[in-house]
Amino acid sequence: MAIMTGGQAVVAALQAEGVRAVFGIPGMHTLHLYEALRTAPTIRHFTTRHEQGAAFMADGYARATGEPGVCLAITGPGATNTLTALGNAYCDSSPVFCITSEIATGHIGQGYEVFHELRDQLGLFAGVTAWNERAASVAEIPGAVHRAMVSLRTGRPRPAHLEIPIDVLAATGEVEISASAAVERPAADPGQVAAAAALLARARFPLIYAGGGVNSPGASAALVSLAERLGAPVLTTFTGKGAIPEDHPLSLGCGPWRRGLIADYLARADLLLVVGARLAQVETRDWTLSLPKTLVHVDIDPTVIGRHYPATVGVVGDARRALEQITAALKGSAAHPAPSPAAEIAQWQAARFARARLQGDPGFGFMTAVRAVLARDAIVANDAALANGWTSEHLPSYTPRSVLFPSGFAALGFALPAALGAKIAFPERQVVAVCGDGGFLFTAQELATAVQYGLAVVVLVFNDGSYGSIARLQQAHFGAAFAADLLNPDFVRLAEAFGAWAARADTPEALGSALGAALRAGRPALIEVPVRLEPPR
Ligand SMILES: Cc1ncc(C[n+]2csc(CCOP(=O)(O)OP(=O)(O)O)c2C)c(N)n1
């Protein structure tokens, strides 16, 4: 037992959970929390320029590491500013832990309209979290932090929110801090595993679809060995990109399903193994995509299994453990008889690249130039821009958790702050943010955060002077764009004003050399790439 303030209890509990970095902005309601952080020996606080940036950074940290990313905000406006980023993390299953203050205990729910009051703050967070509680006393704080962390680390990883009234943060009380216990990810039921293995053993042409749930080093290794055992090609979702190295002979890359050999394989396959993926609306074109009759669906979240497509066999469990269990259950069954698709895949990939080069596809040109400069394990954080499609299709990823996409909620403004969170987690790795001009300006002020902390990320701004994705849709539907034109600042001068390195590059070659120079500069950098808004294809 120790005597501490509520603020000190939060910090001690986070330290006990192994938290090393937190992101946020202090305020009147979090003074005691920040006073405790000021002297915390093992936690580094990063002050951001908007709470949305703090939550996106926590998300980028979480996606890159698999560990909870922590952000802090005051009650009221600070709290609401985090919501968009938490919605993004919620939809993409990213473990972000948001701690907010709350008005004084005696004022909650009274409607006194006190300073920073937000009516039903917990209610607002309910839609973007899987765990959402208030700590009503100092003594309750460590237990609440621990329960939040267990929720973030065990089931489907989705945000947690803990709110602490200002009087509780300031009060002094007795607390017990215990070291965080290792949490075991849940294994699958042996009966479900046996049923899945029996179907896989009989399949003549199994195909694997891997999502964000497999995008961790352990699960990736398990996925690759099962795919090799089955000789099964693997396609990934956006958030699963990198779950199998994209130069692996069995990799079909990252969606969509309609492309060439992928569509052929989908038609030819007699079994689809879906792992850690939701079969979401966009990728299945409103669930109209036809899938092989036999569907084995592995997910930690039982509500995902069979929700849109009936699963022949559902396997509930952690992706790594379930895949390892299935591989073990297959031992002894006859090796897969079909000829390996590796040669066919290699031929298709080569033809695809040759075609894109021949057609002068701008996305192919730019992303090939970027890939040629980046290290194999570089991290690329994307925004919800047209260049997103370029990254998924033309920028191969070789390691898990190295491509970060705002996929389900698709909030603009994610890329730069998420890249900063990733850079803090992995200072030694190259980190690049890929944005459109519109989305970049949603959170551009975090360039100041990058410069303040010397976070050498490189931001690529593909500038088409437009909310281009939407303009294209408008043109396709109505023959004209509306309300999508953007009169932009001079991005190079803007970045320089923040103290960043900056350049403009309008060809793939120029982009490649500017990116090389930006990485060598070893400080935050921005490269503006002017692009034309292509008509919809
Ligand atoms: C927070 C938020 N607001 C609005 C949208 C809708 N939206 C999706 S893409 C897009 C345009 C993005 O423009 P830009 O970042 O310039 O990239 P481009 O599409 O031009 O490549 C908009 C407005 C969104 N995804 N997120």
Side-chain angles (χ1 to χ4, degrees), residues 52 84 383-387 409-413 435-440 442 462 464-470 486 533:
Q52 186 179 115
T84 299
D383 221 64
L386 290 170
F409 208 52
L412 288 171
C435 321
D437 46 325
F440 169 65
F442 274 50
F462 289 91
D464 60 5
S466 169
Y467 286 126
S469 315
I470 305 306
L486 298 173
L533 181 61

Side-chain angles (χ1 to χ4, degrees), residues 187-210:
D189 168 73
Q192 294 177 348
V193 169
L199 289 177
L200 284 162
R202 280 204 302 274
R204 278 173 301 104
F205 191 88
L207 182 61
I208 300 179
Y209 191 47

Side-chain angles (χ1 to χ4, degrees), residues 411-469:
L412 288 171
F414 168 81
L416 167 58
L420 296 178
K423 186 70 181 173
I424 286 160
F426 295 107
E428 72 294 351
R429 284 167 71 181
Q430 297 168 343
V431 181
V432 173
V434 176
C435 321
D437 46 325
F440 169 65
L441 286 178
F442 274 50
T443 48
Q445 73 276 21
E446 301 304 347
L447 268 183
T449 311
V451 171
Q452 182 167 344
Y453 294 103
L455 302 170
V457 301
V458 184
V459 189
L460 308 183
V461 180
F462 289 91
N463 179 8
D464 60 5
S466 169
Y467 286 126
S469 315

Side-chain angles (χ1 to χ4, degrees), residues 470-480 536:
I470 305 306
R472 276 170 58 126
L473 283 176
Q474 292 173 323
Q475 279 159 358
H477 282 274
F478 309 112

